[in-house]
Amino acid sequence: MATSSSAIDSILVENRVFPPSEEMVKNANISGMDAYKAMCAEADKDFEGFWGNLARKHVVWTKPFTRVLDGSNAPFYKWFDDGELNVSANCLDKHMGTPVENKTAIIFEADDGAVTKVTYKELLARVGQFANALKSRGIQKGDRVILYMPMTIEGVVAMQACARLGVIHSVVFGGFSAKALQDRIVDVGAVAVITANYQMRGGKEMPLKAIVDDAIALGGCESVKNVFVYERTKTACAMTAGRDHTFSEVLEGQSTECAPVPVNAEHPLYILYTSGSTGKPKGVQHSSGGYLLQAKLTMDWTFDLKPEDVFWCTADIGWVTGHSYVVYGPLAAGATEIVFEGIPTYPNAGRFWDMVQRHKCTVFYTAPTAIRSLIKASEADDKVHPKSYDLKSLRIIGSVGEPINPEAWVWYYNHVGGGRCPIVDTYWQTETGTHMINPLPGATPLVPGSCTLPLPGIYPAIVDETGEEMPNGKGGMLAYKKPWPSMIRTIWGDPERFKKTYFPPEMKGYYFAGDGAVRSEDRGYFRVTGRIDDVLNVSGHRLGTMEVESALVAKTDLVAEAAVVARPDDLTGEAICAFVVLKRPLPSDEEAKAIAKELRDWVAKEIGPIAKPKDIRFGENLPKTRSGKIMRRLLRSLAKGEAITQDTSTLENPQILEQLAHNN
Ligand code: PRX
């Protein structure tokens, strides 16, 4: 795709502006730029009043708050902190006795195409029953529970049941390895794991429970007293008597009614692990009140949600997007949503479009990586091209997780959105909890590749290393000048790391996002250029370079040293390139290929298949300065296949650059 002609296209299209249609503006929840600006002005004038009013309007409180923001112990901000609520009651009970009660909450489509629907009333009953099952096993408010689940109604039910009891969930994506799962079980001190026997993906049955067993067997998981196993398929899995229970066992005889437990607004709703610039993933802790508020609000603002919408966010519940826009936001907003178990390419690459057509989806939200792979597939086969489907039900389409390149943007706009649907390119992070910078469909003129402007009440800035704000047109680091309700509260068990990572002293109290960005000179629109720390973004999945390096050097019989960098990739956005020094002489071609495979499999075992390096290069050493520092800039050039133009005179060992240019 990235031919020289498409590179020219991208320069041309970047300057085009796509204003919303008059009809879209007329019917939108936030109608027109003046309405947007008025909301921003309101927040400017009275920041706490702005958020306080919204929190009173959009959240049901069992005990009203009297304080909006407590910054006395900044950066450990507290929001609405003398208020009490229950998040699950805000997603389910709130709708009882209203027209939403009998509305479809979830349209679940299984990997094999089987469709199951549940109404809000039925979902409440299932959540209540599962919460009672957890309670019967002694699990209570403040306990931590790990979920290792497929995309199913049961996954949503389990998360909501935790929220109902004030139990803090920590979902681990089903693609992570036993080792990654064990790390998280230990770090969070989980009392239970909720899993499934198997998961179905692309027609294949893949084990989950067996991986939980492996994780626990790795040691340090003594806190886990119960493992709950959803029988997704009929295939049996090993069960440990006394510890492991099937869902049917624990649900039997449980009442469907379970009173929601009120919690303080600051009570942790969940902990979600994400990669940072050190080897160890960090447990991002989110609150109940502030988080829920913005999850609900962004449904109304970003997705312009209307009662008749059929909303579909394709993200897995293992990622923050799945938390905010599958489990909490849509339900708090009373939406009908699609939950999809499978993958976009099974039974063929038309699956998404076929589902949009069949379920009459109106708001569709996915990742640029999925779009890019579906472009490629549809170029090869007309049958899976969006034009072969009726996508007229769509009115808004969204993008999340990584920068969307203008080529993909224009294709998405024309072929999926029919030139009619605004693209909401949402820039945010696990740490921000919910959307931060994105267009509003009935207000913001769109510019491909730009996430445009902040939501009302959000104050981003582009700063230099000293925290000084940069003028428009000059790139710098993205930061936020003010806190926001759904922001990360701390890193679980490591408040110092939280402070150091997000509020470094030179940033003058601003939240430091870790991304580079630039504002356009004409409109002041934001364009996020990517991470400026050691974080990789592969297919929208976030990984740390150090995390992959640690995994590689843990192969102690083979690896002496490793350095990992990202390089651009047409399909996955970024790809992982690993430079490895072996504990043996430089291998021959054949041997090198075999070792590279062994290392990829090893990384998959240590972290998960998503972390497998695409490129592996061997050298007798890494390029280092005389003081022994690895010159990563050189490695990045090598990874891209660029000629080395940098000054290599400070390099201890220039000859190894040639060795490292060779890919395996
Ligand atoms: O680099 C930014 C990129 O993804 C990072 C956050 O990753 P994660 O915490 O896994 O959350 C993903 C879902 C929100 C950011 O620091 N990113 C996310 N959305 C965009 C983006 N980069 C450019 N444009 C976006 N819309």
Side-chain angles (χ1 to χ4, degrees):
M1 269 190 303
T3 59
S4 53
S5 73
S6 63
I8 293 167
D9 283 343
S10 80
I11 294 161
L12 293 176
V13 294
E14 260 177 17
N15 297 324
R16 277 199 279 167
V17 177
F18 298 75
S21 69
E22 261 175 48
E23 200 200 338
M24 186 62 83
V25 176
K26 199 173 89 208
N27 299 318
N29 295 340
I30 300 180
S31 172
M33 279 310 267
D34 288 345
Y36 162 71
K37 284 182 190 153
M39 290 171 77
C40 295
E42 209 186 307
D44 290 348
K45 209 169 99 210
D46 178 8
F47 183 68
E48 291 192 28
F50 173 81
W51 284 117
N53 287 339
L54 290 169
R56 275 182 286 270
K57 186 167 161 213
H58 292 271
V59 176
V60 180
W61 299 90
T62 47
K63 178 173 169 250
F65 59 89
T66 63
R67 239 190 338 256
V68 172
L69 174 63
D70 176 1
S72 59
N73 188 28
F76 300 95
Y77 292 99
K78 291 182 183 170
W79 286 86
F80 322 114
D81 76 313
D82 60 346
E84 284 180 6
L85 77 160
N86 179 277
V87 170
S88 141
N90 267 276
C91 294
L92 300 166
D93 309 55
K94 178 178 90 180
H95 304 304
M96 297 306 115
T98 79
V100 178
E101 180 179 273
N102 292 311
K103 183 179 172 178
T104 300
I106 296 177
I107 303 170
F108 172 68
E109 181 156 323
D111 189 59
D112 66 2
V115 174
T116 318
K117 296 182 183 180
V118 288
T119 65
Y120 271 88
K121 200 174 182 176
E122 289 161 349
L123 190 61
L124 171 63
R126 286 174 69 166
V127 169
Q129 194 179 30
F130 195 75
N132 280 329
L134 292 175
K135 226 158 91 172
S136 74
R137 292 266 139 201
I139 297 167
Q140 55 183 3
K141 182 176 161 189
D143 284 345
R144 276 85 57 209
V145 166
I146 290 266
L147 267 85
Y148 192 61
M149 290 284 278
M151 282 294 284
T152 46
I153 297 175
E154 284 68 18
V156 179
V157 166
M159 289 165 76
Q160 287 282 348
C162 288
R164 198 162 189 84
L165 300 176
V167 168
I168 305 163
H169 60 68
S170 185
V171 185
V172 178
F173 174 60
F176 277 120
S177 68
K179 176 79 178 58
L181 180 59
Q182 179 227 13
D183 282 347
R184 288 153 177 77
I185 292 173
V186 172
D187 194 70
V188 92
V191 299
V193 178
I194 306 175
T195 187
N197 58 348
Y198 292 87
Q199 60 178 338
M200 293 301 303
R201 284 177 80 76
K204 289 198 204 88
E205 188 179 49
M206 279 146 49
L208 281 177
K209 169 62 166 56
I211 298 173
V212 173
D213 290 341
D214 289 349
I216 294 177
L218 286 170
C221 301
E222 294 72 25
S223 57
V224 176
K225 300 288 181 256
N226 291 282
V227 176
F228 302 99
V229 185
Y230 165 52
E231 307 109 303
R232 171 63 190 89
T233 68
K234 295 202 166 68
T235 316
C237 66
M239 298 288 277
T240 301
R243 186 196 71 184
D244 301 351
H245 328 278
T246 63
F247 268 37
S248 29
E249 258 167 58
V250 291
L251 289 173
E252 204 187 304
Q254 295 295 349
S255 158
T256 54
E257 276 174 39
C258 173
V261 176
V263 299
N264 184 277
E266 282 296 312
H267 181 71
L269 176 63
Y270 66 85
I271 296 160
L272 184 59
Y273 283 82
T274 191
S275 298
S277 40
T278 67
K280 193 169 165 274
K282 46 198 179 188
V284 171
Q285 180 181 318
H286 278 293
S287 70
S288 295
Y291 173 80
L292 180 79
L293 169 63
Q294 281 188 268
K296 156 73 170 64
L297 269 183
T298 45
M299 290 300 298
D300 298 346
W301 292 358
T302 305
F303 298 121
D304 188 44
L305 196 82
K306 299 284 167 27
E308 56 284 1
D309 273 320
V310 176
F311 177 79
W312 183 14
C313 165
T314 67
D316 192 282
I317 52 168
W319 310 113
V320 73
T321 311
H323 282 61
S324 302
Y325 300 108
V326 177
V327 179
Y328 293 111
L331 297 179
T336 293
E337 66 166 328
I338 298 170
V339 172
F340 176 44
E341 179 184 42
I343 57 171
T345 48
Y346 178 80
N348 61 48
R351 181 71 181 260
F352 276 0
W353 322 132
D354 179 46
M355 283 180 63
V356 166
Q357 173 179 300
R358 276 188 291 110
H359 299 303
K360 302 204 167 36
C361 171
T362 59
V363 181
F364 177 71
Y365 189 37
T366 197
T369 284
I371 298 165
R372 286 191 298 263
S373 75
L374 298 180
I375 294 176
K376 205 168 159 193
S378 67
E379 276 169 357
D381 179 2
D382 253 5
K383 280 202 302 294
V384 300
H385 193 285
K387 71 182 174 201
S388 304
Y389 299 84
D390 178 1
L391 306 181
K392 282 192 210 63
S393 58
L394 287 174
R395 59 182 204 94
I396 293 167
I397 53 180
S399 169
V400 58
E402 43 175 332
I404 178 164
N405 48 312
E407 293 87 338
W409 193 102
V410 170
W411 185 90
Y412 194 32
Y413 187 80
N414 287 334
H415 297 297
V416 180
R420 170 187 88 246
C421 306
I423 297 182
V424 286
D425 175 3
T426 58
Y427 166 77
W428 56 297
Q429 306 175 296
T430 304
E431 294 89 337
T432 68
T434 58
H435 301 155
M436 299 297 274
I437 311 179
N438 56 264
L440 298 173
T444 324
L446 308 172
V447 170
S450 163
C451 54
T452 72
L453 297 168
L455 292 178
I458 303 295
Y459 292 87
I462 296 181
V463 298
D464 66 12
E465 301 77 35
T466 62
E468 261 332 290
E469 266 189 62
M470 310 286 282
N472 288 357
K474 284 248 179 322
M477 303 187 283
L478 186 70
Y480 295 95
K481 296 194 267 189
K482 292 186 185 193
W484 60 98
S486 69
M487 71 190 292
I488 174 176
R489 293 306 194 263
T490 188
I491 292 174
W492 179 258
D494 201 347
E496 272 314 303
R497 186 172 174 202
F498 164 76
K499 255 164 83 171
K500 234 171 62 195
T501 310
Y502 303 109
F503 295 91
E506 62 280 12
M507 283 288 154
K508 303 183 169 150
Y510 293 4
Y511 167 93
F512 173 62
D515 279 304
V518 60
R519 297 186 74 159
S520 64
E521 274 172 296
D522 50 352
R523 295 171 179 269
Y525 274 13
F526 286 81
R527 191 163 60 82
V528 176
T529 47
R531 301 291 305 197
I532 47 177
D533 53 7
D534 298 317
V535 171
L536 306 159
N537 194 329
V538 182
S539 300
H541 300 322
R542 189 167 150 182
L543 291 159
T545 50
M546 292 267 288
E547 198 181 346
V548 184
E549 285 168 13
S550 310
L552 284 167
V553 296
K555 184 102 184 88
T556 48
D557 57 327
L558 212 53
V559 177
E561 206 177 359
V564 166
V565 300
R567 67 155 173 82
D569 185 274
D570 278 355
L571 217 54
T572 56
E574 285 185 346
I576 301 176
C577 181
F579 296 88
V580 177
V581 181
L582 294 171
K583 284 184 175 168
R584 59 170 79 172
L586 213 56
S588 66
D589 270 4
E590 277 305 295
E591 213 187 341
K593 284 206 164 49
I595 299 175
K597 178 174 184 313
E598 194 179 343
L599 290 180
R600 285 190 185 99
D601 292 345
W602 170 263
V603 172
K605 216 174 111 243
E606 284 287 292
I607 305 174
I610 51 173
K612 277 187 183 184
K614 189 155 184 178
D615 303 345
I616 295 188
R617 292 147 183 235
F618 299 113
E620 282 159 339
N621 203 340
L622 298 174
K624 289 178 188 150
T625 60
R626 280 177 224 284
S627 61
K629 201 166 167 287
I630 297 172
M631 297 179 75
R632 286 179 184 269
R633 217 173 272 223
L634 280 181
L635 292 180
R636 277 191 273 270
S637 297
L638 282 175
K640 281 190 214 160
E642 287 173 356
I644 302 291
T645 52
Q646 291 102 325
D647 178 14
T648 52
S649 59
T650 54
L651 206 60
E652 170 80 38
N653 45 4
Q655 78 287 355
I656 54 103
L657 293 182
E658 215 163 288
Q659 293 172 357
L660 292 170
H662 184 71
N663 198 10
N664 296 286

